[in-house]
Every structure is written in structure tokens, then in C-alpha cells.
Amino acid sequence: MTGERSRNARREVSFTVNGKPCSVAVYPMQRLLDVLRSELHLTGTKEGCGEGECGSCSVLLNDELVNSCLIPILQVEGASVCTIEGLAAEVLHPVQRAFLECGGAQCGICTPGMILATISLLRHHPAPSMAQIREGLSGNLCRCTGYIRIFQAVEQAAKTIEATGPGAAQSSFDSLDASR
Amino acid sequence: MRSLPADYEMLAPGSLAPVLELLAKEPGVWMPLAGGTELMVQYGAGKLNARKLVSIWGLPELRAIRETTEDLHIGAGCTYTDLRRHPIVAKEFPLLGDGASWTGSIANQNRGTLGGNIVNASPAADSLPALLVYEADLLLVSVRGERRVSYLGFHTGYKQTGLLADELIQTVILRRRFQGYLSYSRKVGPRNAQAISKLCMAALAKVSGRRLADIRIALGSMAPIPLRLRETERVLKGAECNEESLQAARVALEREVSPIDDIRSTRAYRIAVAGNLMEEFVRGLFPREGD
């Protein structure tokens, strides 16, 4: 105890990140975003607004897209988290490749969140309409691209994943699922 | 100023009974936290007054949608995504599905809960007008037992509800009796997605020949609470759709709403648009020949 402000104790919280089990000693109300960046040094997840409006801090929590700035770490106990760092092992994930090839990234701050939102979208809508793409990414703000190239990247990623069948993309999905 | 995590205590008992015991032991001390789409925003901004939180996220007792032949029982901890994916919500309660789809982004819908939205009691909440026109009941639970109350009248003032300090909303109950009703919903906001409404409307009507056999209209952002337009409905019920009845309905509507000027819109704009939406809804119920 170092005075009044430290009266609540840290506690151990265990979960898996990108398929690997981890355990951190944290205050229960620490945000998942801060635990990822400061405790686990996974700085691919960005902070934009800090109030769930911009989507820069998007991660998958038990396969669902969430804003990690709004998740207290205690609610992550036993859960599975996927961040941008978990997508590419040897080769880029098809969604990452599509963003690269289509010019779907400029300054890069929104890009990890855009890519995770795209992966979430394509799981629910493997061949999304433009309306579904726009809705799926509506919580992710980009101040550089004007979105057109991002939408093109999503369309290209959907086609690549469809063409390669349960190939490259699926292997990443499987590794996520195996981590649950 | 950011909040300091060390200032906050949080428990996650994992089931309903210990949560209710905690609320009963120290009423008003423990703040239930579900998906965090409201409280974590306050926390991030250094404005969360509660220092002790109890997680109710994912409690199995609050996360199911159960149907009977008469009712749909929606666990208060169900998310907007849960609502949008449920076939009975989509088919029989489309106004609730619309409201869910307008609420925040996909990531917010994956966390935001119907019960949280009710308790947060924002007059701008997109899905609450739907609960008013469907005349939902709420099942409230505490260590003292359960009580079933009508959602009509649950909001007692700006951000005030009839929930007692030791209670949680357990279930939102909808009666499955809206076959034959036509529904209408609109959100008016500065952009399509991720925008808090300037105003929103949910409405239901049943038409019999040239007359309105039943009509129910509710509005968001037009009063300190989500508002059911009882007077406007009274004017229109049994009426034919003509200039006279629409004008009388508009007068009644303007009398019973009390919107404000704020960062999102103005009182005058809100009143004008609410009247226009009401008129569009009613006219749309009686397509003219050739339409």
C-alpha cells in the first residue's frame, strides 16, 4: 500500500491472447486496451478516442468485435483475445494483403482496427454487399483514405478468401478457434 | 482527467444470486456493469462516480431469449447483436430490431445490452421507443423476489427509473400479438452510423377499412424520457386519414412533446420533424390509388 490511492489491490487475471495463455497482475478496472499495450507490449492495438466511437482499439474478444477501450480487464478473465499481432505468422493474412495491395492504409492508426472489423464482417458475411461492408466498418473511423480504398480492400479480401477456399484465411481463423 | 484504475473496486461473481446479495447488502454502493458501453465511457472521462462495480456481463440468467406461444422473454443482458440475430425479434418485433441496428457500431452492439439501455435511461436511446409501443413488461429481481412492472411509466424523469437500489432488470417481456400491425421507424441523425439521434420514432398501427383501428407512436429525444404520444394517438384512433385529422394530430403532438435545444439539434427542428414523421407514417398506411 502506498497511500490512499492504492487501497484496491491488484489481482491475477488469466486469459489467452492470440492463442497463448497469459496471466497479468492488474487492477480489475484497467482497460483491456491498456493491458494489451502496457503490460503485454502488444502495441498494434491503438487508442484513438477512448470512448468507443473510433474503433482504433478494436480487437476480437471470444470472436466478437469489441472496442478494447471499453472493456475492464476483469471481464476478460478466461476469455480469448485476438489482436492484430495474432493474424500473420509466416505470411500476411489475406485481409492484411488486400489492404496493402489496395492502398487501404495511409497513416496506419485505424488500420489494425479496420482489419479486425473486416475479419469479423467476413465471418458473418463471406460475400458482403457494399451496404454490409459500410455497416460492418461503420464503427471504425479513418481520417486519411476517404474509405473508398478500404472498401475495395474488403471486397478484394472477400474474393481472395472465397477463391482460396478454406485455405490461407481459414488457417488464421482455426488458430483463433483453437485458442478458445 | 483520466480515472485511476486503483481507485476502483470490481467484482465478477459469475452468477445472479451473489450479485443480488451484494446489491442487497450495500444498496446503492455497488454499480452493476454489463457491456460497459456507457459506464466505461464515463470511466474513461474520469466521470464515473461509483467506485465499486459488480460485473453482470454474460451472466447466464440474463443472457437468454426464450419464447412461449404468448410471449418473448428477452434477458436484460442480451446484446443488440443478440436481438438482431434473433428470428422472432426480426419477424414479430421489427421496431426493436431497427432500434438495435441503429445503436452505435457493430462493436458497440456486441457489448451494449437492452437492460443497460433501459437503466441508463437516455431519452435519446434508439430502441426504447419500440418497447413503449410494444408495451413491454419488465421482470425486476432482487433478493426479496421478483416483481413484474409495465415498461410504460418505468421512466419517472430524466435518467430516473422505478428500479430500486437492490434490483436488477432480469427480463424484458414482449407479448406476441402484433400480427396485422403495420410498423414504422425512423432515426434522424447527422449521419447514418454511430450517431446519437436528433430524434427517433417507433410506431405501430392497425388499419380497418379507411380508419385507424389502433395506433401507437413513441419518440426518442423529444422529452426528458422516451415518450409515448398518448394524446396524438387519441386524436388519430378511429379517425380517417385526411388533412383535418392530420392537422389535429400535429397540434396534439406539439402539445405533448417537450424537446430542448442541445448540441445535437434544436427544439424547433425536432418538433417540425416529429410532426412530419408522424404524418409520413399515417399517410403511408393508406396508399392512394396509383401509388
Side-chain angles (χ1 to χ4, degrees):
Chain A
M1 290 279 171
T2 56
E4 191 61 21
R5 286 201 169 274
S6 308
R7 63 191 182 282
N8 295 305
R10 289 175 191 258
R11 50 174 289 181
E12 207 74 17
V13 176
S14 303
F15 49 101
T16 68
V17 178
N18 301 325
K20 290 187 206 116
C22 75
S23 195
V24 287
V26 288
Y27 295 109
M29 275 292 277
Q30 263 175 271
R31 307 179 303 172
L32 172 58
L33 170 65
D34 297 323
V35 173
L36 290 172
R37 290 181 56 88
S38 305
E39 311 283 332
L40 302 173
H41 308 295
L42 294 170
T43 52
T45 305
K46 307 302 182 192
E47 173 159 22
C49 66
E51 53 183 40
E53 294 274 346
C54 79
S56 298
C57 67
S58 301
V59 300
L60 303 182
L61 179 61
N62 289 341
D63 286 336
E64 297 273 23
L65 187 71
V66 299
N67 292 311
S68 62
C69 71
L70 298 184
I71 312 280
I73 195 65
L74 188 60
Q75 290 186 336
V76 184
E77 173 76 48
S80 147
V81 180
C82 171
T83 71
I84 191 70
E85 288 92 344
L87 294 185
E90 302 285 298
V91 292
L92 288 179
H93 188 284
V95 174
Q96 291 174 306
R97 211 166 57 235
F99 271 69
L100 202 57
E101 289 169 1
C102 295
Q106 286 189 27
C107 87
I109 291 287
C110 75
T111 311
M114 286 285 178
I115 286 173
L116 286 158
T118 302
I119 286 171
S120 172
L121 169 73
L122 295 180
R123 282 186 185 170
H124 296 291
H125 305 285
S129 66
M130 186 48 73
Q132 287 168 328
I133 293 174
R134 295 176 75 106
E135 184 185 22
L137 300 190
S138 67
N140 296 76
L141 304 185
C142 172
R143 300 293 83 177
C144 305
T145 63
Y147 299 100
I148 301 300
R149 288 167 183 239
I150 290 175
F151 296 154
Q152 288 168 348
V154 177
E155 287 182 310
Q156 178 172 319
K159 284 185 192 133
T160 309
I161 292 169
E162 193 191 15
T164 53
Q170 206 55 43
S171 67
S172 298
F173 291 0
D174 288 347
S175 70
L176 293 180
D177 290 343
S179 69
R180 294 183 74 187
Chain B
M1 258 291 272
R2 276 272 163 85
S3 304
L4 291 172
D7 288 347
Y8 294 84
E9 191 176 344
M10 188 186 197
L11 297 174
S15 65
L16 186 59
V19 171
L20 295 178
E21 278 160 30
L22 203 58
L23 296 181
K25 210 172 93 190
E26 299 179 87
V29 171
W30 293 89
M31 171 73 85
L33 176 75
T37 52
E38 174 68 28
L39 295 182
M40 289 302 287
V41 175
Q42 294 176 16
Y43 170 76
K47 291 175 181 164
L48 182 58
N49 292 326
R51 285 290 190 270
K52 294 184 174 195
L53 298 116
V54 55
S55 176
I56 56 170
W57 171 254
L59 293 185
E61 297 92 335
L62 303 181
R63 190 73 194 266
I65 302 182
R66 203 166 48 80
E67 72 212 62
T68 67
T69 48
E70 282 97 43
D71 298 330
L72 190 65
H73 293 247
I74 301 172
C78 289
T79 64
Y80 287 103
T81 299
D82 294 339
L83 295 176
R84 291 186 69 183
R85 287 181 186 160
H86 198 276
I88 293 178
V89 173
K91 185 161 180 277
E92 298 180 30
F93 303 99
L95 297 171
L96 185 56
D98 289 346
S101 74
W102 295 335
T103 304
S105 61
I106 300 294
N108 299 136
Q109 290 167 17
N110 284 340
R111 294 286 297 185
T113 63
L114 186 58
N117 222 194
I118 295 171
V119 173
N120 187 50
S122 165
D126 288 320
S127 56
L128 301 185
L131 298 184
L132 287 177
V133 296
Y134 291 131
E135 300 190 348
D137 276 354
L138 305 178
L139 191 64
L140 310 180
V141 63
S142 71
V143 291
R144 296 172 289 114
E146 294 177 348
R147 64 184 177 118
R148 183 169 168 160
V149 300
S150 170
Y151 178 61
L152 300 169
F154 188 66
H155 296 291
T156 51
Y158 178 68
K159 294 234 164 194
Q160 303 288 311
T161 72
L163 193 74
L164 300 176
D166 64 344
E167 286 179 319
L168 287 178
I169 303 177
Q170 178 159 12
T171 313
V172 177
I173 302 167
L174 298 174
R175 277 169 286 265
R176 304 174 65 182
R177 57 169 189 212
F178 296 101
Q179 294 84 352
Y181 276 81
L182 299 162
S183 58
Y184 172 96
S185 64
R186 285 287 184 280
K187 172 183 176 117
V188 181
R191 62 199 286 277
N192 280 337
Q194 190 82 326
I196 296 172
S197 293
K198 293 173 190 284
L199 71 150
C200 57
M201 177 184 284
L204 276 178
K206 198 173 204 173
V207 170
S208 170
R210 295 162 59 90
R211 292 185 183 276
L212 280 159
D214 191 14
I215 183 160
R216 300 152 180 225
I217 305 173
L219 293 168
S221 293
M222 292 300 290
I225 58 173
L227 186 70
R228 179 84 183 260
L229 298 183
R230 296 291 196 183
E231 290 307 315
T232 311
E233 293 172 8
R234 206 159 316 187
V235 168
L236 287 169
K237 197 168 173 176
E240 290 189 21
C241 171
N242 53 40
E243 299 308 317
E244 200 175 81
S245 62
L246 286 171
Q247 183 53 36
R250 200 180 267 264
V251 169
L253 181 148
E254 292 183 9
R255 208 177 292 134
E256 64 185 323
V257 299
S258 52
I260 55 170
D261 292 337
D262 66 7
I263 53 165
R264 286 188 276 277
S265 189
T266 63
R267 172 181 163 83
Y269 178 85
R270 285 173 159 132
I271 290 175
V273 173
N276 293 347
L277 295 183
M278 179 274 297
E279 196 171 320
E280 178 179 85
F281 166 52
V282 175
R283 285 188 193 278
L285 297 169
F286 300 93
R288 288 170 301 179
E289 282 186 26
D291 276 5

